[in-house]
Amino acid sequence: MARTFKEVLESGDFVITAEAAPPKGTNLGHFRQHVALLKDKVHALNVTDHQSSVMRYPSLGGAIMIKEMGGEPILQMTCRDRNRLALQADLLFAHSRGVANVLCLTGDSIVVGDHKTAKSVFDLDSSQLVRTIRTLEKGYDLAGNQLDGGVKFCAGAIVTPEADPIEPQLIKFEKKIEAGAEFIQTQAVYDLDHFAEFMAYARPFGAKIMAGIILLTSAAMARFMNKNVPGIKVPQDLIDEMAAAPKGKALEAGIAIAGRMIRRIKDEKLADGVHIMAIGKEDKVPDILDAAGVKL
Amino acid sequence: MIRSITQPKLDTALESLLEGYTRLFVVGCGTCVTLTQTGGAPQVAAMRERLLSWGKMVTGSTVVPVACDELSHEILEEHQGAVASAEALVIMTCAFGVQTIAGQFGKMVVPALDTLFIGKESAAGTFLEVCVQCGQCILGETGGICPVTSCHKGLVNGPCGGTKAGKCEIDPNKDCAWTLIYNRLKSFDKLDLMRRYQPPRHHNVEPKPGRFQAPGT
Ligand code: SF4
Ligand code: SF4
């Protein structure tokens, strides 16, 4: 019997999760393949919620499917698209279908996505959503009404160790932990020396922290993220390493870099685990794990 | 002073709103839209030209002093004839003015501007939205900077992960509200206020549409 994500967190083992993005549409074939490929190679699969504000098959649907396939899902929930009624209802639904882990996020802005004229919600923020989970667990909704049948979740949140400026981000991080976040997933990190400094600060707060790893697929992608994605900084030496890869071998270089970083995070105990985001290249996650020399 | 911030509708949008009308009367305003150069005297003059180039007839035009105030009898009387012979009014004021004028002149109105927000002039020609009248003011805990308005997502417990060099994830020309609030509170040695948990907000303090009765009136 596979362990629950919470049991893994509590075991002290090096935690490995990966991201799975539901499709734009109802063709779930690819998603199903990724889940089948990864579900026994990672401790949990994290399902994105309209990532980058692009409308897709819902994260809850993806999480239920993972559960049905015998995997361990982490349900991503952003505050962008649902008010507190809808968020609570989806939490009840998730619990009733065996989804036991939730990652609470604020959510990207509507204006960066593909439905730029939609109304954004943000009725709750990420720290309030974590508290909502803890409130529901006590048997009450946010209005103070008693629930007929409760919920139980392992709740997490995210932090951006490269945020600029960092101080306001750290205050928010502390608020999320105070709210009851048991695990923290970081935005992608590349400068592990800098990450080690962040961890020296973050560790005493007690939540399990998983370093975010985004697979680099080309030097251009690294440059693009540096320019456009807040909170991601790929150091020049890694960009050079990607650029130096022979033609057609950039992806292999990216896999080697990701593997090396995971190895170091594990060997030097820089974090409690890693969360691998192989955006669009989910089938490469086993190669990354091989390159890192880690397995469950 | 607070200002109603407007921008012109696209010509194509305005032209389609004017379909079916031939005789038009143009109204500008001497207050906010004069400052933002969207509905002052020069813009009203340019609108007359544009309407003529679209084959319309302009029965007259005026720039009223304050379009959101009830218009005086003098103004109404002065333009009575030209307004009466127009089929519709092309109004280059904010939507407060459009509503007032529509009621007073008793004519169909076509707004030539879109009203964006109620703003405050922060530097010459720069207007910022600083309050969305939420009914539950938290400025006392944020050093006088409003996150409900100035944070793109209206977050009240600190920043999202999108801050980039102190700017908002959606626009490098917009400050991240939470960087500003952090700096302000830090300068007062009041960061404990930012650490304080803000519960979910009350979004219906005064259910829309707002209505207020001053005591004794
Ligand atoms: S909190 Fe912000 S939006 Fe609400 S009343 Fe105060 S300044 Fe206005
Ligand atoms: S970057 Fe700052 S202002 Fe923009 S949404 Fe995030 S917290 Fe709000």
Side-chain angles (χ1 to χ4, degrees):
Chain A
M1 171 79 193
R3 290 182 293 173
T4 65
F5 181 60
K6 194 176 172 77
E7 284 166 354
V8 176
L9 286 182
E10 285 167 356
S11 72
D13 290 354
F14 189 72
V15 187
I16 305 166
T17 62
E19 200 149 284
K24 179 108 183 165
T26 57
N27 182 352
L28 291 157
H30 269 293
F31 184 74
R32 195 185 301 273
Q33 276 169 18
H34 291 150
V35 174
L37 177 71
L38 300 179
K39 70 182 176 66
D40 298 319
K41 294 195 164 61
V42 297
H43 292 115
L45 279 167
N46 200 304
V47 194
T48 51
D49 179 11
H50 307 303
Q51 195 169 23
S52 306
S53 308
V54 171
M55 193 287 294
R56 284 170 172 270
Y57 190 83
S59 59
L60 184 50
I64 289 171
M65 189 163 148
I66 292 170
K67 189 75 196 168
E68 287 168 353
M69 290 175 66
E72 177 72 342
I74 298 173
L75 173 70
Q76 289 199 7
M77 284 185 113
T78 73
C79 298
R80 176 190 55 234
D81 310 310
R82 287 165 286 186
N83 70 5
R84 66 192 80 171
L85 280 78
L87 287 167
Q88 291 180 98
D90 279 355
L91 286 164
L92 300 182
F93 185 23
H95 174 84
S96 74
R97 298 297 292 270
V99 175
N101 315 297
V102 181
L103 183 74
C104 303
L105 306 102
T106 301
D108 291 322
S109 162
I110 285 279
V111 304
V112 305
D114 70 346
H115 284 62
K116 295 187 193 304
T117 58
K119 182 165 187 173
S120 59
V121 181
F122 300 114
D123 182 25
L124 302 182
D125 63 37
S126 50
S127 64
Q128 292 165 343
L129 182 56
V130 174
R131 279 184 196 252
T132 300
I133 290 174
R134 296 301 171 230
T135 304
L136 293 175
E137 284 178 337
K138 291 190 191 115
Y140 293 90
D141 67 14
L142 284 183
N145 299 312
Q146 205 158 357
L147 300 175
D148 178 10
V151 302
K152 184 85 194 112
F153 288 108
C154 177
I158 63 167
V159 70
T160 305
E162 297 279 2
D164 172 25
I166 187 68
E167 295 86 353
Q169 178 74 195
L170 298 182
I171 291 178
K172 183 75 172 275
F173 164 80
E174 291 174 31
K175 281 176 134 171
K176 290 175 183 182
I177 292 182
E178 258 168 50
E182 296 157 80
F183 67 98
I184 298 284
Q185 218 174 268
T186 79
Q187 173 58 291
V189 291
Y190 291 96
D191 179 345
L192 292 187
D193 293 330
H194 188 242
F195 179 62
E197 285 169 30
F198 166 78
M199 285 303 296
Y201 148 84
R203 239 180 226 298
F205 292 97
K208 298 285 179 180
I209 299 183
M210 293 141 71
I213 304 287
I214 291 185
L215 173 64
L216 296 175
T217 56
S218 67
M221 175 215 187
R223 287 191 206 100
F224 176 87
M225 289 199 301
N226 276 351
K227 188 159 179 274
N228 297 298
V229 185
I232 294 189
K233 286 190 188 128
V234 188
Q236 191 57 41
D237 58 324
L238 291 183
I239 298 179
D240 293 343
E241 190 176 337
M242 291 298 292
K247 215 171 164 42
K249 301 278 184 202
L251 184 55
E252 282 171 37
I255 291 169
I257 289 171
R260 198 169 74 214
M261 285 176 44
I262 294 169
R263 179 84 249 159
R264 182 170 163 209
I265 291 166
K266 182 165 192 247
D267 286 352
E268 297 181 17
K269 298 192 166 40
L270 292 182
D272 302 298
V274 287
H275 172 63
I276 304 169
M277 295 164 269
I279 304 158
K281 297 269 185 281
E282 286 80 1
D283 55 328
K284 298 296 176 200
V285 171
D287 299 341
I288 296 171
L289 296 174
D290 284 347
V294 297
K295 51 175 182 290
L296 301 195
Chain B
M1 192 184 282
I2 65 171
R3 298 289 179 196
S4 190
I5 306 305
T6 50
Q7 71 180 10
K9 281 186 183 288
L10 292 177
D11 275 359
T12 45
L14 186 58
E15 240 190 310
S16 92
L17 285 172
L18 292 174
E19 243 168 61
Y21 296 124
T22 315
R23 294 187 311 281
L24 300 162
F25 183 88
V26 185
V27 186
C29 170
T31 309
C32 305
V33 292
T34 290
L35 261 183
T36 55
Q37 300 170 31
T38 47
Q43 292 78 38
V44 166
M47 178 60 75
R48 290 184 67 125
E49 296 303 314
R50 195 169 328 144
L51 293 175
L52 293 174
S53 78
W54 291 345
K56 308 289 184 189
M57 243 173 73
V58 178
T59 65
S61 66
T62 181
V63 177
V64 300
V66 188
C68 55
D69 268 356
E70 295 293 296
L71 300 178
S72 65
H73 281 295
E74 289 76 22
I75 294 177
L76 291 174
E77 276 158 25
E78 184 187 339
H79 298 291
Q80 215 172 26
V83 166
S85 68
E87 295 152 332
L89 311 178
V90 175
I91 306 195
M92 303 181 74
T93 74
C94 77
F96 290 81
V98 177
Q99 296 196 26
T100 311
I101 291 167
Q104 279 202 285
F105 276 122
K107 278 270 167 189
M108 281 302 288
V109 288
V110 175
L113 307 181
D114 283 316
T115 304
L116 298 175
F117 59 90
I118 303 305
K120 182 179 170 332
E121 193 163 22
S122 65
T126 306
F127 298 87
L128 297 180
E129 185 176 25
V130 297
C131 171
V132 291
Q133 299 91 41
C134 73
Q136 194 188 31
C137 196
I138 65 164
L139 290 175
E141 289 157 281
T142 58
I145 297 166
C146 173
V148 176
T149 310
S150 303
C151 166
H152 168 68
K153 297 170 189 169
L155 305 176
V156 292
N157 275 301
C160 71
T163 319
K164 201 169 164 68
K167 302 292 173 180
C168 179
E169 71 177 32
I170 63 148
D171 187 340
N173 293 314
K174 293 186 177 178
D175 292 320
C176 170
W178 279 104
T179 302
L180 298 180
I181 293 168
Y182 174 85
N183 290 338
R184 175 82 56 91
L185 290 177
K186 191 172 178 205
S187 74
F188 290 124
D189 199 16
K190 288 279 189 200
L191 282 176
D192 53 312
L193 289 175
M194 186 167 162
R195 293 179 195 281
R196 187 184 287 175
Y197 172 68
Q198 296 287 350
R201 293 183 54 76
H202 185 350
H203 291 287
N204 298 294
V205 176
E206 170 61 17
K208 267 208 305 200
R211 190 175 194 286
F212 177 78
Q213 192 80 45
T217 58

